[in-house]
Amino acid sequence: MPQTTLVSFAVIVAATAVAPLITDHVKRWIAIPSVVLEILLGILIGPQVLGWAGVDDVMGFVADFGLAMLMFLAGYELKIDEVRGKPIRLASVGWLISLVLGLGFGALVHGWAFASLIIGLALTTTALGTTLPMVRDAGLLPTPLGARVLAVGAAGEFGPIIAVALLFNDQSPARTVLFLLAFGVVAARLLWVAANRRSGRISRLVRTTLGTSAQFAVRLCMVVVVFMLWLAGTLGLDLLLGAFVAGLVVRLFLDAGDPEEGAVVESKIEAIGFGFLIPFFFVVSGMRYDLDALLATPSAIALLPVFLVLFLVIRGLPVLALHHRDLPVRPRWTLALLASAALPLVVVITTIGTDAGLLPTSTASAMVGAGMISVLVFPLIALRLVRDEQPGPHPADPELR
């Protein structure tokens, strides 16, 4: 491995460790999400500021796998039994309304062109994987509001991924639909097997290797992740779709076994993801961020607050309106603000546009910059709104179904 690669790798890993230290130091004044600091540190150590680290093929691969782990853990946190029914119905309707609004805005700015599709889709995304740790740390997941957050976030992640697979693909639309159906059949089969067929031998290996070097359960989970990534890539689909479904499969597999064993395996998987791969992705995302394109174009700087408001209008307002009968005012605003936070898929979708020459780099930088601010500002406001409220019981309430 080249020395420059090792140096860059060391600097990036150091940045992932520094971010929570800074977060802890400044929390007495302001609660800054670690992910935002990771991106900012990436910009600082990257080639556009200090130049301490660069992104080569090795860094890029590890970062891309970190993004896959982010989507995997988002799928893992989505407990189907808890969001099915009314939460997922409202979430799906809300995303479709956001899609119409987003595409309408894109067409208003760029006409009916691919650039309008890129902008419109980016505005419909939700950073579930990014905000999920904050929601979980705030104790909201085992509440009715937490179920809504998961449902809305899943729609804001899954919907754009499917749309990207259909619209931005080198294959014909019919071929893409056929491959999506094939992927869906395999995914459905894996989900059924994970939930219903767990052999005694598998259960024994999971139990007996939890504290040994074999770590069979963790290895099996990684096999599922890599297999679904491979399957999605082979079919010409977005790899994030495979990662998300892999999370669903692993969740059902662990839920079918002993709850204590599942909790241990979950902690190990999260250690791999949140301890290394995911912060690595966010630091590299900061290093890849085209700060020069943003600062060199006054119109791009002006677009940054515009996109920030559009995230809230296009993604948040439909959520706010659809849940007015089911949630009190403050939790409803919390849900809308969390739905409006967008970043990872904004990076993915705008990168597709810039690589294809369909979206100006300055516009992409403005959207990503707005996404960074949304991840910083919206969750802070959202969690402050419900900070003084006591978490309720887990959503077994028929009203939430």
Side-chain angles (χ1 to χ4, degrees):
M1 185 180 293
Q3 184 66 22
T4 54
T5 298
L6 286 173
V7 171
S8 295
F9 198 88
V11 172
I12 293 170
V13 171
T16 66
V18 168
L21 288 174
I22 298 176
T23 299
D24 182 70
H25 183 70
V26 302
K27 68 180 180 181
R28 69 188 73 174
W29 300 291
I30 183 173
I32 301 177
S34 183
V35 58
V36 175
L37 283 174
E38 288 156 10
I39 294 172
L40 293 176
L41 287 172
I43 295 173
L44 181 65
I45 67 174
Q48 296 191 79
V49 183
L50 297 177
W52 290 353
V55 181
D56 58 13
D57 291 341
V58 175
M59 305 304 130
F61 176 81
V62 177
D64 291 344
F65 196 69
L67 175 58
M69 281 298 295
L70 182 68
M71 292 304 299
F72 164 78
L73 288 170
Y76 178 82
E77 289 289 355
L78 185 66
K79 299 180 181 180
I80 298 175
D81 288 341
E82 296 172 2
V83 300
R84 67 183 176 184
K86 195 170 186 179
I88 199 64
R89 285 200 305 271
L90 290 179
S92 300
V93 171
W95 184 79
L96 290 174
I97 295 173
S98 296
L99 180 63
V100 172
L101 294 174
L103 293 180
F105 173 79
L108 184 66
V109 175
H110 285 281
W112 294 108
F114 273 105
S116 65
L117 293 176
I118 292 167
I119 292 174
L121 278 178
L123 290 171
T124 68
T125 64
T126 295
L128 175 62
T130 307
T131 59
L132 197 58
M134 293 179 264
V135 174
R136 181 175 49 197
D137 292 344
L140 292 179
L141 275 187
T143 69
L145 177 59
R148 300 300 178 104
V149 170
L150 286 173
V152 168
E157 298 268 23
F158 200 71
I161 290 174
I162 296 295
V164 166
L166 289 171
L167 298 174
F168 304 106
N169 199 302
D170 295 334
Q171 304 169 132
S172 67
R175 188 181 179 91
T176 300
V177 170
L178 181 63
F179 283 165
L180 268 173
L181 290 175
F183 180 86
V185 169
V186 175
R189 178 61 178 171
L190 282 175
L191 289 168
W192 185 87
V193 170
N196 296 282
R197 297 181 63 178
R198 186 169 181 177
S199 70
R201 184 178 185 182
I202 295 294
S203 297
R204 180 180 59 80
L205 278 173
V206 168
R207 182 176 61 258
T208 58
T209 62
L210 279 178
T212 71
S213 60
Q215 295 292 329
F216 175 72
V218 177
R219 297 186 190 192
L220 190 59
C221 292
M222 292 299 103
V223 167
V224 174
V225 175
V226 174
F227 171 75
M228 295 306 294
L229 292 175
W230 170 82
L231 179 64
T234 301
L235 295 176
L237 307 175
D238 196 290
L239 298 183
L240 300 185
L241 177 61
F244 191 88
V245 173
L248 297 176
V249 172
V250 170
R251 161 62 71 180
L252 290 177
F253 171 75
L254 293 180
D255 284 350
D258 181 82
E260 292 184 4
E261 293 174 2
V264 174
V265 176
E266 177 181 336
S267 68
K268 294 176 184 290
I269 296 172
E270 289 182 345
I272 295 172
F274 293 123
F276 173 57
L277 290 170
I278 293 172
F280 196 99
F281 159 71
F282 282 116
V283 172
V284 172
S285 295
M287 294 169 62
R288 287 170 167 168
Y289 182 63
D290 198 339
L291 184 63
D292 291 340
L294 178 67
L295 298 179
T297 312
S299 60
I301 298 175
L303 278 176
L304 196 149
V306 172
F307 282 131
L308 184 64
V309 172
L310 285 171
F311 283 135
L312 184 59
V313 171
I314 290 175
R315 195 71 188 100
L317 289 188
V319 172
L320 190 68
L322 287 170
H323 292 81
H324 74 282
R325 293 183 179 178
D326 302 299
L327 293 174
V329 174
R330 291 176 68 171
R332 188 154 39 101
W333 272 104
T334 295
L335 182 61
L337 286 164
L338 291 173
S340 304
L343 186 58
L345 284 179
V346 174
V347 174
V348 172
I349 294 172
T350 55
T351 299
I352 292 173
T354 53
D355 288 348
L358 302 172
L359 188 70
T361 304
S362 57
T363 302
S365 298
M367 289 201 79
V368 174
M372 292 183 195
I373 297 174
S374 75
V375 169
L376 171 62
V377 175
F378 293 161
L380 286 178
I381 300 173
L383 297 178
R384 183 175 292 274
L385 287 174
V386 294
R387 181 173 297 170
D388 297 330
E389 297 186 10
Q390 293 295 324
H394 207 272
D397 189 345
E399 292 182 1
L400 297 179
R401 300 299 182 192

